[in-house]
Amino acid sequence: MATYDLTPRIAPNLDRHLVFPLLEFLQERQLYPEDQIFKSKIELLSKTNMVDYAMDIHKSLYHTEDVPQDMIERRAEVVARLKALEEGAAPLVAFLQNANAVQELRADKQYNLQMLNDRFQIGPKQIEALYQYAKFQFECGNYSGAADYLYQYRALCTNSERSLSALWGKLAAEILMQNWDIALEELNRLKEIIDSKSFSSPLNQMQSRIWLMHWSLFIFFNHDNGRTQIIDLFNQDKYLNAIQTNAPHLLRYLSTAFIVNKRRRPQFKDFIKVLQQEQQSYKDPITEFLACVYVNYDFDGAQKKMRECEEVILNDPFLGKRVEDSNFSTVPMRDEFLENARLFIFETYCRIHQRINMGVLAEKLNLNYEEAERWIANLIRNSKLDAKIDSQSGTVIMEPNQPNVYEQLIDHTKAISGRTYKLVGQLLEHAQAQAAR
């Protein structure tokens, strides 16, 4: 299943610290040889200050207690640099640890700067030192300290570019600490800045959106309301355009969110058209499953893809999260996906057949006959589905439901108008990008 692993595509769009959780997952799932994972970790760590961690991995990889001399020298450099940065930021850190003094800070940054300079002899040099100290703390793996200092730095910083950089760092730190509520707040703050900021070119703005969507995967597949919010973000025209242009692999996650989120069906039809357009640039069992059901009406193909989807989910770092309960382990996303995938097959199959053999339907749903009968009975009982089960003949009978032609015509007209608007927007963005070059 390493064929469907998206880590090589996702990693270049993440801060290198955010790649470690992905490697940990791949190591646990044994998708690659363990020594290959260890080497990837050491390569990542070589550009950070997490020297002790790199030493531990080196010992595990080569089964030795000895470490290279360059690692020992690098550790000494990191300790010395940390001490120097700590001294430079000490006046401002001491101020921030004084709760009474911090209460005097206001929303007016110019007032704060003047007050700090007049009363505490803290100026731009010490504020810059706080940023460098926070950044160094992050590189050392002290995400809690980095998040606190970056938050304080942004309250004092008057440089918009540096403030934006600090916000990215704060978001990464909150993700790595798994503070999903705070991380979602920072994500929304960052999105607002990206959407409103004046970029040097549309391509730079698009790249920022692509980075934001990749970082958001950690939040959306861990936050309670994440599966709704990923649709809200990824399905916006500007973000969907960025996906289609430079990151079509993100369609896996948007497809999964649509499948497990019954409330977003109205947006689903337009999304199926996007999948059709992008079949040449990206496809995997999850996107192919939707194409089988809604484009080709290939229910045998959908049945096969559903089994492959289960493997893809189990081996995806974002979708395959396990929940342990004493001796019981489950993957909630896998269970929800399969339940809803069966519903998609059932609904579509029923739409084109009036009388359905229960045995055939059980086969399409990857269930045995008794399971299928119980599943369909519960579905009819708990939904507004116009159907009944004839146990004697072993069939499901669908009640005729004639479509409203006028409503269909209105829906098609709206869809054409929406696609025209989107196409014009894409052409304008493309023209701007060409002009910027």
Side-chain angles (χ1 to χ4, degrees), residues 349 353-357 390 393 395-398:
Y349 197 79
H353 296 85
Q354 189 172 348
R355 183 180 289 269
I356 306 152
N357 182 281
D390 185 340
S393 63
T395 58
V396 177
I397 303 170
M398 303 302 300

Side-chain angles (χ1 to χ4, degrees), residues 7 10-24 39-50 53-54 57 74 135 138-141 143 168-169 172-173 175-176 211 214-215 218:
T7 305
I10 291 173
N13 295 288
L14 300 176
D15 179 275
R16 62 181 54 240
H17 287 253
L18 293 175
V19 180
F20 286 111
L22 307 189
L23 294 180
E24 292 287 349
K39 287 176 182 176
S40 297
K41 285 183 178 181
I42 289 176
E43 185 181 348
L44 272 177
L45 288 165
S46 66
K47 301 291 175 61
T48 74
N49 297 326
M50 298 166 70
Y53 185 28
I57 293 175
R74 171 76 175 141
K135 189 170 182 290
F138 180 87
E139 291 299 331
C140 289
Y143 305 124
W168 279 104
I175 289 172
L176 289 160
W211 288 335
H214 281 87
W215 290 38
F218 291 95

Side-chain angles (χ1 to χ4, degrees), residues 30 47 66 74 116 134 167 176 191 226 238 254 275 321 404-405 420 425:
Q30 299 180 343
K47 301 291 175 61
D66 298 325
R74 171 76 175 141
L116 286 171
L167 184 54
L176 289 160
K191 176 188 180 296
K238 291 178 180 178
L254 187 51
L275 285 185
K321 178 186 174 185
N404 185 316
V405 177
T420 304

Side-chain angles (χ1 to χ4, degrees), residues 33-212:
E34 192 169 49
D35 61 340
Q36 189 177 338
I37 298 289
F38 279 143
K39 287 176 182 176
S40 297
K41 285 183 178 181
I42 289 176
E43 185 181 348
L44 272 177
L45 288 165
S46 66
K47 301 291 175 61
T48 74
N49 297 326
M50 298 166 70
V51 190
D52 289 339
Y53 185 28
M55 287 179 172
D56 290 339
I57 293 175
H58 183 276
K59 291 174 184 177
S60 298
L61 176 60
Y62 296 105
H63 308 289
T64 178
E65 288 301 311
D66 298 325
V67 293
Q69 184 62 30
D70 62 335
M71 280 190 172
I72 296 172
E73 292 172 357
R74 171 76 175 141
R75 188 181 190 283
E77 289 175 11
V78 168
V79 171
R81 176 68 175 154
L82 180 61
K83 186 176 180 182
L85 288 171
E86 193 174 7
E87 290 174 357
L92 188 46
V93 170
F95 167 82
L96 295 173
Q97 290 173 345
N98 184 338
N100 292 330
V102 170
Q103 284 183 346
E104 296 188 43
L105 292 175
R106 300 179 185 175
D108 182 354
K109 292 185 180 182
Q110 291 301 325
Y111 168 85
N112 293 335
L113 295 177
Q114 191 65 46
M115 184 268 288
L116 286 171
N117 189 56
D118 293 345
R119 295 180 53 189
F120 299 94
Q121 291 74 56
I122 294 173
K125 183 179 178 182
Q126 286 76 26
I127 294 172
E128 174 63 20
L130 181 67
Y131 173 80
Q132 296 298 337
Y133 182 51
K135 189 170 182 290
F136 205 84
Q137 289 274 13
F138 180 87
E139 291 299 331
C140 289
N142 180 10
Y143 305 124
S144 177
D148 289 342
Y149 292 136
L150 288 172
Y151 171 79
Q152 299 291 356
Y153 171 79
R154 290 193 71 243
L156 302 170
C157 174
T158 55
N159 182 318
S160 60
E161 289 298 324
R162 183 54 65 83
S163 179
L164 182 60
S165 175
L167 184 54
W168 279 104
K170 175 78 159 52
L171 173 59
E174 299 297 351
I175 289 172
L176 289 160
M177 291 189 291
Q178 300 184 18
N179 294 332
W180 304 123
D181 287 334
I182 300 174
L184 181 60
E185 290 175 11
E186 303 296 2
L187 181 79
N188 290 331
R189 195 169 286 122
L190 197 49
K191 176 188 180 296
E192 188 178 331
I193 293 172
I194 290 170
D195 289 346
S196 62
K197 185 176 180 292
S198 176
F199 282 79
S200 57
S201 78
L203 289 176
N204 290 341
Q205 189 173 36
M206 179 186 290
Q207 184 58 62
S208 293
R209 289 187 175 123
I210 289 170
W211 288 335
L212 188 76

Side-chain angles (χ1 to χ4, degrees), residues 266-288:
Q267 300 162 281
F268 189 58
K269 290 181 182 178
D270 289 335
F271 177 65
I272 293 297
K273 291 166 189 168
V274 171
L275 285 185
Q276 283 182 268
Q277 294 167 8
E278 299 303 320
Q279 279 184 331
Q280 298 303 316
S281 59
Y282 178 79
K283 60 183 177 181
D284 65 23
I286 294 176
T287 62
E288 288 177 311

Side-chain angles (χ1 to χ4, degrees), residues 288-401:
E288 288 177 311
F289 167 79
L290 288 175
C292 284
V293 176
Y294 288 99
V295 180
N296 305 320
Y297 301 103
D298 177 7
F299 299 103
D300 291 332
Q303 176 193 0
K304 180 183 175 184
K305 289 301 172 187
M306 195 159 69
R307 287 194 290 265
E308 294 177 13
C309 287
E310 183 174 7
E311 290 300 313
V312 169
I313 290 170
L314 290 174
N315 293 295
D316 185 287
F318 300 105
L319 306 178
K321 178 186 174 185
R322 293 181 176 274
V323 175
E324 305 290 339
D325 184 11
S326 62
N327 295 327
F328 184 70
S329 175
T330 185
V331 179
M333 182 61 72
R334 184 264 314 269
D335 299 339
E336 285 186 55
F337 182 95
L338 293 179
E339 176 71 14
N340 284 280
R342 289 191 185 102
L343 181 59
F344 277 35
I345 292 175
F346 180 76
E347 286 180 341
T348 310
Y349 197 79
C350 290
R351 215 176 286 135
I352 56 178
H353 296 85
Q354 189 172 348
R355 183 180 289 269
I356 306 152
N357 182 281
M358 189 78 76
V360 172
L361 195 53
E363 185 181 343
K364 305 296 182 194
L365 299 173
N366 281 341
L367 297 171
N368 63 43
Y369 189 93
E370 290 76 15
E371 288 174 334
E373 187 171 25
R374 281 197 303 271
W375 187 83
I376 294 166
N378 287 332
L379 183 65
I380 293 172
R381 188 182 305 114
N382 298 325
S383 69
K384 297 178 180 178
L385 193 66
D386 292 325
K388 62 183 179 181
I389 296 174
D390 185 340
S391 298
Q392 284 189 336
S393 63
T395 58
V396 177
I397 303 170
M398 303 302 300
E399 298 294 332
N401 184 14

